[in-house]
């Protein structure tokens, strides 16, 4: 068991590192060929933050563990809101001022409703998987289009520009992309395989291992990025990373088991976990939105988010 835990931790470390280097190389290459920083931030960087979840979901589905893949998608979204944003806002209250985020919030809610609807019958079909992947492509295209219309005074514009790597040679950028493409699936394979062994040793279901250990592990990059962002005063970027990640989790990550391993799922995914995710997303919307101007997620609200996450974890193991 100690060996399996070591393999899981090593796989997680390599997965996070390779995802970061893949985004670094792709962002640098995109900047070198003239793509705007805002477009890079809303597409490549946003998608890259979900790269660990996407690859883990694909590997779990191919290995015949669709419940682990679904648990990873739902659990990552729950962790991102309850734990990642909760801890981030505890460190420093989050100021929500970007008009871009105010457009992404309604999109996140619509996608949440679609995901809950698809899961509610206890089955994820291949048609639903195709729909989710097509929506993923459509959303990527939409975000690219939105990036062209963003007001230059939008705070997210400057925060995103500061995060794009500069002065990186094309050969180095391509090298990091290639390394990421090799290490991401390889590390995900070892991570998923060891997680399944750990889960079975402790009598946990495939769904719960996806909701807890794997979801927490793959959400650690978002936690690090959000905390680093808020410490630099990049509140909108910290919040935007989580919103973008959650959108992509419900489209690309949840779409993988539909495409690669369609069929019946653990009924708890629909009647417990998807509803918890929807509830936390609604709570975040209430905390973040103010049609009259800016809105701050304060420390009291942060404590409530973290508290909801901890209560949910207790519910899973009670």
């Amino acid at each position: 068991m100690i060996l399996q835990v070591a393999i899981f931790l090593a796989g997680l470390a390599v997965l996070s590192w390779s995802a970061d280097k893949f985004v670094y190389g792709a962002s640098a290459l995109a900047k070198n060929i003239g793509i705007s920083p805002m477009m890079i931030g809303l597409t490549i960087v946003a998608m890259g933050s979900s790269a660990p979840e996407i690859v883990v979901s694909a590997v779990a589905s191919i290995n015949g563990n669709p419940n682990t893949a679904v648990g990873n998608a739902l659990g990552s979204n729950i962790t991102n809101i309850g734990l990642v944003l909760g801890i981030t806002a505890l460190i420093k209250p989050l100021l929500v001022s970007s008009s871009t985020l105010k457009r992404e919030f309604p999109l996140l809610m619509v996608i949440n409703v679609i995901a809950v609807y698809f899961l509610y019958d206890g089955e994820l079909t291949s048609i639903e998987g195709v729909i989710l992947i097509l929506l993923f492509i459509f959303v990527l295209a939409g975000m690219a289009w939105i990036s062209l219309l963003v007001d230059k005074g939008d705070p997210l514009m400057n925060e995103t520009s500061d995060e794009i790597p500069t002065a990186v040679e094309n050969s180095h950028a391509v090298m990091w992309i290639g390394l990421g493409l090799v290490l991401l699936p390889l590390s995900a394979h070892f991570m998923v395989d060891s997680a399944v062994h750990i889960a079975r040793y402790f009598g946990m279901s495939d769904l719960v291992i996806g909701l807890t250990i794997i979801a927490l592990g793959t959400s650690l990059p978002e936690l690090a990025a959000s905390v680093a962002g808020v410490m630099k005063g990049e509140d909108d970027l910290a919040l935007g990373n989580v919103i973008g990640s959650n959108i992509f989790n419900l489209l690309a990550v949840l779409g993988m088991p539909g495409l690669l391993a369609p069929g019946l799922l653990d009924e708890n995914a629909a009647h417990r976990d998807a509803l918890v995710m929807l509830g936390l997303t609604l709570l975040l919307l209430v905390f973040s939105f103010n049609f009259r101007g800016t809105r701050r997620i304060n420390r009291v609200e942060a404590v409530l988010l973290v508290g909801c996450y901890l209560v949910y974890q207790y519910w899973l193991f009670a």
Side-chain angles (χ1 to χ4, degrees):
M1 181 49 57
I2 294 176
L3 176 61
Q4 294 299 332
V5 171
I7 292 173
F8 177 84
L9 294 175
L12 173 61
V14 175
L15 183 76
S16 301
W17 182 83
S18 56
D20 180 67
K21 292 305 179 184
F22 174 79
V23 172
Y24 176 85
S27 300
L29 185 61
K31 183 176 178 62
N32 289 348
I33 62 178
I35 297 176
S36 72
M38 194 64 178
M39 184 177 292
I40 295 171
L42 289 178
T43 55
I44 295 173
V45 175
M47 184 174 64
S49 66
S50 289
E53 287 93 338
I54 294 171
V55 178
V56 165
S57 181
V59 170
S61 299
I62 292 171
N63 290 350
N65 303 110
N67 282 303
T68 300
V70 171
N72 183 27
L74 302 180
S76 292
N77 281 19
I78 292 169
T79 304
N80 283 346
I81 296 174
L83 193 65
V84 173
L85 283 183
I87 290 177
T88 303
L90 272 175
I91 295 172
K92 180 176 175 289
L94 286 167
L95 183 67
V96 186
S97 54
S98 171
S99 60
T100 303
L101 296 184
K102 292 175 182 178
R103 282 192 288 262
E104 288 187 6
F105 264 119
L107 176 62
L108 177 60
M109 285 307 310
V110 169
I111 293 172
N112 264 266
V113 172
I114 292 172
V116 171
Y117 175 75
F118 281 175
L119 291 172
Y120 206 71
D121 62 355
E123 183 179 10
L124 194 59
T125 67
S126 55
I127 294 176
E128 290 167 344
V130 169
I131 291 173
L132 290 172
I133 297 300
L134 289 177
L135 284 173
F136 171 64
I137 296 170
F138 177 77
V139 167
L140 267 182
M143 287 185 172
W145 178 70
I146 287 174
S147 71
L148 301 175
L149 306 176
V150 173
D151 184 352
K152 291 185 179 179
D154 191 310
L156 191 60
M157 173 76 80
N158 294 329
E159 293 175 15
T160 301
S161 299
D162 293 340
E163 295 299 313
I164 306 301
T166 58
V168 180
E169 295 182 6
N170 285 340
S171 58
H172 290 169
V174 171
M175 177 195 72
W176 289 122
I177 293 171
L179 189 64
L181 289 174
V182 171
L183 291 181
L184 273 168
L186 189 63
S187 57
H189 167 75
F190 284 105
M191 183 179 166
V192 170
D193 188 60
S194 59
V196 170
H197 279 89
I198 294 169
R200 288 174 181 167
Y201 179 83
F202 288 105
M204 299 165 62
S205 68
D206 288 348
L207 177 64
V208 171
I209 192 68
L211 289 165
T212 55
I213 297 176
I214 293 180
L216 180 61
T218 55
S219 292
L220 289 178
E222 279 91 346
L223 177 59
S226 295
V227 170
V230 77
M231 293 303 291
K232 293 188 290 185
E234 299 173 341
D235 295 28
D236 287 301
L237 186 62
L239 186 58
N241 283 339
V242 168
I243 295 173
S245 177
N246 281 19
I247 289 172
F248 292 148
N249 284 345
L250 291 180
L251 297 178
V253 180
L254 192 60
M256 288 298 168
L259 281 179
L260 303 174
L264 295 175
L265 300 171
D266 188 322
E267 62 179 16
N268 287 317
H271 302 140
R272 180 191 60 199
D273 310 311
L275 297 180
V276 169
M277 176 190 68
L278 182 60
L280 273 174
T281 305
L282 283 168
L283 194 61
L284 178 62
L285 181 66
V286 171
F287 288 169
S288 304
F289 231 90
N290 184 349
F291 289 97
R292 294 173 295 179
T294 59
R295 180 72 172 88
R296 189 180 296 273
I297 302 176
N298 59 46
R299 287 191 172 93
V300 173
E301 294 164 340
V303 168
L304 184 55
L305 289 175
V306 175
C308 288
Y309 177 78
L310 294 176
V311 168
Y312 171 67
Q313 294 299 307
Y314 175 80
W315 186 13
L316 288 178
F317 293 101

